[in-house]
Amino acid sequence: MGSATEYNRRDLFKRAAAITVLAAGGTSLLAACAGGSGSSDNKSGASPTLGGDSKNPFGVKASDALDVVIFKGGYGDDYAKVFEDAYKKAYAGANVSHLGTQEISGKLQPRFNAGSPPDVFDNSGAQAMKADVLVSAGQLTDLTVLLEAPYLDDPSKKIKDVLLPGTVEQGTIDGKMYSLNYVYTVFGLWYSAKLFKDKGWTAPKTWDEFITLCGTIKAAGIAPFAHQGKYPYYANYIIFSLIAKQGGLDLVKKINACDTAAWDDPAVLAGVKAFYKIMEGDFLLPGTNGMTHTESQTAWCQGKAAFIPSGSWLENEMLASTPADFDMAFLPVPSLPNDKLPATALWAGAGEPFMVPSKAKNKAGGLEFLRMMLTKDGSSKFVATANSLTVLKDGVNADVPLKPGTKSSAAAVKAAGDVTFNFSFQDLQTAFDAEVENATNELVNKRITPEEWVSRGKAATSKKV
C-alpha cells in the first residue's frame, strides 16, 4: 500500500461510501444527484430465487463455469483464490476463471457493453465502475436473495443475521442492496502499546484523560499527536467522532444530509473545541500539518509521535515501516462529558464492494461465491492475509494469528456491538466535504477558531454535489 497514491489508497478503502444509503439516514443521498427514475426491479432483471436445499439455495449447476474479477490492490487477489478453490471443491465440474487487475472499469466496461460481464466482481480502486450508473442501467443483481439465503456455517441462520451493523445499508441504492461490502473498517486513534508499556502510560478512556496524557507525553520529549496534514479528512475522523458521540445518531444523520441546522447543535462546537485543545497545548508533531499520509505515519512508526488518526487499513499499509515489536493498537476516540453515545461507540463501516451483474451467465454461481466468502473459515483466512476485518460477525477463528492492530480493532468492534456510526458526507457530498477539509486545515494551523470552523461548516451545507 505504501507505493499507492493517496487518491488510490483513500479510494480503495472508502469508495463504497459513495454508493450507499446509511442506516442513520434512511433515504438515498444520491437520489438528487443521480437523477435515476423507474423501478430497479424492472431494470436489473430477475434474480435467482431460493430453493429448498440449504447446501445449494440458488440452484447452482456444477457444470457451469464461474468468471471472477478481483481488484488487485492493497489486499492483493490471492484471498479470492481461496474462495475459488472452495467453489471448485463444492462444484467439481465448474471451470473457474480468475482475473486480478487494478483496471476494473477498463477491463469490464467493454464486457458490460457487450452483454457479457463476469459472474462476480470486486468493484474497487481508482477505476471502479460507478455503481449508481450500473443500477440505473439495470446492470446489477438485487442481492436481497443473498441476504435471505442460509448461512453456510449454520443453516438455521440467514446471511442477513450474521453481518455487522451497516453492511446492508452500505451496499444499498434506492432501497435495494446491490453490493456486498466485504471489508469492515474502523476509524479512530492508533498508538504503540509497547511505547505505552515502556513509559507506564495508560490508554485514555475520556478526552480529558487524553489531553492530560498528551501533556505527559510532551514532557517526555515525544510529540503527542501526528496527523496526515496534506489530507485533512484524517483529522476529521477525530473531530466528527467527538461530535457524533456527543450529539448522537440523529445528529450524524443531519450532518450527512447537509442539514444547516445541524451545525447549531452544541455538540458540534463541543467536539471541535475538544479537538482544538491539541493545538492549544502545542501537542502536534512539528511539520505534521504539511505531511502526506506516508510521511506522518512513518514518523509515528519511528516513535516520533504517540498518537495518529486513521482507519484500520493502517496496519497493512505500514507493514514495511513498523518495527517488529511496535505492538500497534487501536483506540476508539475518547469520550466527552455527557456524551449521548457510549465510550465504546465507533465510526465504522463496510467497504470493498462485491457485485453480481444482472446479465451474468452464471448469476447463481456469483451469488454462491459471495455466500462462501461469508463462512467463518473464509473470513478468517482473509483477515489473516489482509490484516483487516470482514463484515462477518465474530468472523475470526480463535486459532487464527492476528497482528496486534487487527486484534485490537476486532476487540473494539465487539465492544461497540450495534452502536456504530458512519459519516457519508466525505464521499457523498464532495463539495461540502472540500469546504470542511479546508476549514480543518485552517484549524490545525491555528488560523481560525473552533467557532469559525463551525461557521464555515454551516455555510458549506449550501455547497452540495
Side-chain angles (χ1 to χ4, degrees):
M1 292 299 299
S3 62
T5 65
E6 170 59 22
Y7 173 79
N8 287 340
R9 188 216 53 74
R10 181 185 187 187
D11 195 83
L12 166 61
F13 292 103
K14 301 178 81 248
R15 174 168 291 277
I19 63 171
T20 64
V21 180
L22 295 180
T27 57
S28 173
L29 298 179
L30 273 177
C33 306
S37 62
S39 167
S40 295
D41 279 336
N42 294 334
K43 289 178 179 179
S44 294
S47 182
T49 55
L50 290 175
D53 183 0
S54 64
K55 293 183 178 180
N56 186 10
F58 307 119
V60 176
K61 295 179 181 178
S63 59
D64 286 352
L66 183 72
D67 187 346
V68 183
V69 176
I70 300 295
F71 173 68
K72 192 173 183 178
Y75 305 123
D77 63 342
D78 286 343
Y79 72 89
K81 296 174 184 177
V82 174
F83 301 130
E84 290 161 10
D85 288 341
Y87 186 93
K88 285 187 283 189
K89 184 177 181 180
Y91 302 100
N95 176 41
V96 179
S97 63
H98 172 98
L99 172 64
T101 180
Q102 293 192 10
E103 302 174 15
I104 295 297
S105 182
K107 297 290 186 183
L108 295 188
Q109 190 66 59
R111 295 187 59 184
F112 272 90
N113 292 344
S116 59
D119 299 312
V120 60
F121 71 108
D122 171 17
N123 190 34
S124 195
Q127 293 190 33
M129 303 180 76
K130 299 295 184 183
D132 56 328
V133 174
L134 290 174
V135 170
S136 295
Q139 297 285 354
L140 296 180
T141 297
D142 177 1
L143 298 183
T144 301
V145 68
L146 172 69
L147 298 176
E148 296 296 330
Y151 173 46
L152 267 167
D153 291 344
D154 181 358
S156 69
K157 297 179 181 179
K158 296 180 178 180
I159 292 294
K160 65 182 181 182
D161 300 326
V162 298
L163 300 176
L164 284 168
T167 303
V168 173
E169 293 81 3
Q170 203 81 7
T172 297
I173 299 175
D174 293 337
K176 295 185 179 180
M177 179 176 166
Y178 290 100
S179 67
L180 171 67
N181 293 272
Y182 189 63
V183 182
Y184 202 69
T185 303
V186 297
F187 303 88
L189 289 164
W190 297 80
Y191 66 97
S192 164
K194 179 184 184 299
L195 173 65
F196 274 49
K197 183 178 180 180
D198 290 347
K199 297 292 186 181
W201 300 333
T202 301
K205 294 183 178 179
T206 70
W207 194 255
D208 285 343
E209 290 174 357
F210 172 78
I211 293 300
T212 299
L213 178 58
C214 282
T216 302
I217 293 169
K218 183 180 178 181
I222 299 171
F225 190 86
H227 74 112
Q228 303 81 341
K230 286 194 174 181
Y231 310 109
Y233 64 86
Y234 283 91
N236 282 342
Y237 293 149
I238 310 305
I239 295 173
F240 281 92
S241 290
L242 288 164
I243 291 171
K245 289 189 172 185
Q246 178 76 181
L249 297 179
D250 283 344
L251 181 57
V252 173
K253 172 183 172 182
K254 292 175 182 177
I255 290 174
N256 280 332
C258 288
D259 184 340
T260 303
W263 292 78
D264 295 325
D265 191 306
V268 177
L269 182 58
V272 71
K273 273 189 170 181
F275 177 78
Y276 195 65
K277 289 182 179 180
I278 295 174
M279 276 60 70
E280 289 179 322
D282 193 24
F283 295 148
L284 290 180
L285 173 70
T288 195
N289 286 345
M291 290 183 181
T292 65
H293 64 299
T294 302
E295 291 167 343
S296 61
Q297 290 162 193
T298 299
W300 172 71
C301 287
Q302 293 170 345
K304 295 178 181 177
F307 290 105
I308 197 164
S310 187
S312 48
W313 60 77
L314 178 66
E315 185 165 46
N316 206 53
E317 185 170 65
M318 300 307 294
L319 284 178
S321 302
T322 307
D325 61 350
F326 190 77
D327 201 6
M328 193 178 295
F330 173 76
L331 178 70
V333 173
S335 59
L336 295 173
N338 304 312
D339 274 356
K340 289 186 178 179
L341 298 183
T344 52
L346 285 177
W347 182 343
E352 204 73 12
F354 281 76
M355 300 170 176
V356 176
S358 59
K359 295 182 181 179
K361 291 180 181 178
N362 188 6
K363 193 186 299 186
L367 289 165
E368 183 65 11
F369 185 83
L370 297 182
R371 195 169 76 112
M372 288 181 168
M373 290 175 64
L374 292 168
T375 63
K376 192 162 186 176
D377 184 58
S379 172
S380 296
K381 287 176 180 175
F382 176 85
V383 173
T385 301
N387 302 306
S388 294
L389 304 176
T390 75
V391 295
L392 182 67
K393 288 180 183 176
D394 298 321
V396 185
N397 288 323
D399 61 347
V400 174
L402 300 179
K403 289 193 177 297
T406 305
K407 188 174 182 178
S408 64
S409 296
V413 169
K414 188 171 184 178
D418 291 337
V419 188
T420 63
F421 53 89
N422 195 337
F423 283 99
S424 64
F425 71 82
Q426 289 191 322
D427 295 275
L428 291 175
Q429 304 290 353
T430 53
F432 167 73
D433 179 52
E435 292 293 313
V436 174
E437 286 194 28
N438 288 339
T440 297
N441 183 55
E442 295 296 292
L443 185 78
V444 295
N445 282 287
K446 298 179 73 173
R447 292 192 287 260
I448 64 172
T449 65
E451 288 80 5
E452 289 170 322
W453 184 90
V454 174
S455 295
R456 286 194 177 201
K458 184 175 181 179
T461 58
S462 63
K463 296 187 178 183
K464 300 182 182 181
V465 177

